[in-house]
Amino acid sequence: MIDVLVVDDDFRVAEINAKYVGKVPGFRVAARAHSAAQALTTVQRGGMDLVLLDHYLPDRTGLELVHRMREQGIGTDVIMITAAGDVATVQQAMRLGALHYLVKPFTFAALRTRLESYAALRRTVDRVGGRGVTGQEQVDRIFGALRTAPAPASPGLPSGHSEPTTDLICGVLHRADQPLSAHEVAARTGLSRSTAQRYLRHLEQAGRLRLSLKYGDTGRPEHRYAWVAP
């Protein structure tokens, strides 16, 4: 499990974000903080893998907190979740090593996509780290794990299909290191298998996915889908 610290000065927003995190498989909220001082004390104790961090805190900004963490040698990963959308703040967040930057208001699908890309990064680092980084291909794999799939264009979406759900499925397949079945996509997205199948069929017909068949003992082929780079 990936232990998450949710930091937001608004108790209600912190609770909503915590519920969102709890709905993503592999993640759990280990603590909440409503000020930079509380957050710093929490990460100093250790045990936190990831901080979901608001920028506007009552005692100091979120980026000031990240700067203080790095000064103290605390390397806990950070994803910014904030209403601060100015370029200067975004650039500073990048320079301090924030892995993602999510602007409020956001959807659950948007947060889930970023959490899943973070989990993919950790898996990739574990795989590569076990044998040491040996070349550009491994480095590209690590950096590529954090990329989120671009949102699909709205024209062409059939009736009953939504952009957030399409984006969620595209993100899962974009980060997968092998083709996935409808059952696997449903498990990773929290959707029903029938819903996942419906979206996968449309995305394959639109040329965004590549369909392959896997034959098992039963003789009935399993449909598997892979991301097609634009």
Side-chain angles (χ1 to χ4, degrees):
M1 295 294 288
I2 296 173
D3 287 324
V4 180
L5 168 63
V6 175
V7 183
D8 199 293
D9 65 322
D10 189 318
F11 284 73
R12 293 169 299 177
V13 173
E15 183 63 26
I16 292 172
N17 291 349
K19 287 181 178 178
Y20 278 176
V21 172
K23 292 168 64 178
V24 181
F27 290 82
R28 64 184 174 194
V29 176
R32 297 175 181 80
H34 307 290
S35 69
Q38 289 178 346
L40 183 60
T41 299
T42 302
V43 294
Q44 285 172 336
R45 289 197 295 261
M48 296 296 156
D49 300 305
L50 176 66
V51 181
L52 298 186
L53 181 60
D54 188 18
H55 182 58
Y56 297 120
L57 299 172
D59 46 352
R60 66 174 66 194
T61 68
L63 292 184
E64 288 172 342
L65 169 61
V66 178
H67 183 69
R68 184 71 181 274
M69 288 167 55
R70 302 311 184 226
E71 282 184 334
Q72 296 184 11
I74 300 171
T76 308
D77 295 321
V78 173
I79 292 178
M80 298 297 297
I81 297 182
T82 176
D86 58 284
V87 175
T89 302
V90 175
Q91 286 182 325
Q92 189 179 0
M94 294 173 62
R95 290 166 182 155
L96 288 172
L99 298 179
H100 278 301
Y101 196 107
L102 193 56
V103 180
K104 297 178 181 177
F106 57 90
T107 64
F108 167 63
L111 177 59
R112 179 169 188 158
T113 298
R114 281 143 184 89
L115 291 179
E116 287 180 338
S117 74
Y118 173 71
L121 170 67
R122 289 172 62 95
R123 290 193 300 270
T124 303
V125 170
D126 287 344
R127 286 197 299 267
V128 174
R131 57 181 180 273
V133 176
T134 58
Q136 188 63 49
E137 180 182 350
Q138 286 74 26
V139 173
D140 290 343
R141 196 172 299 168
I142 291 173
F143 276 86
L146 272 177
R147 295 180 189 143
T148 55
S154 4
L157 278 182
S159 175
H161 287 61
S162 71
E163 285 193 22
T165 302
T166 306
D167 187 42
L168 176 61
I169 291 176
C170 286
V172 167
L173 287 160
H174 183 256
R175 291 185 299 276
D177 51 12
Q178 61 183 7
L180 301 177
S181 66
H183 177 75
E184 291 169 328
V185 171
R188 298 190 186 194
T189 58
L191 300 169
S192 69
R193 187 185 183 283
S194 60
T195 298
Q197 183 66 64
R198 182 158 47 91
Y199 277 79
L200 290 168
R201 189 179 300 113
H202 165 69
L203 290 167
E204 189 268 328
Q205 292 172 351
R208 299 177 66 88
L209 304 179
R210 182 177 65 254
L211 172 64
S212 60
L213 301 179
K214 180 181 179 182
Y215 290 87
D217 296 335
T218 62
R220 183 177 181 180
E222 180 185 54
H223 289 201
R224 303 185 69 82
Y225 299 87
W227 177 257
V228 176

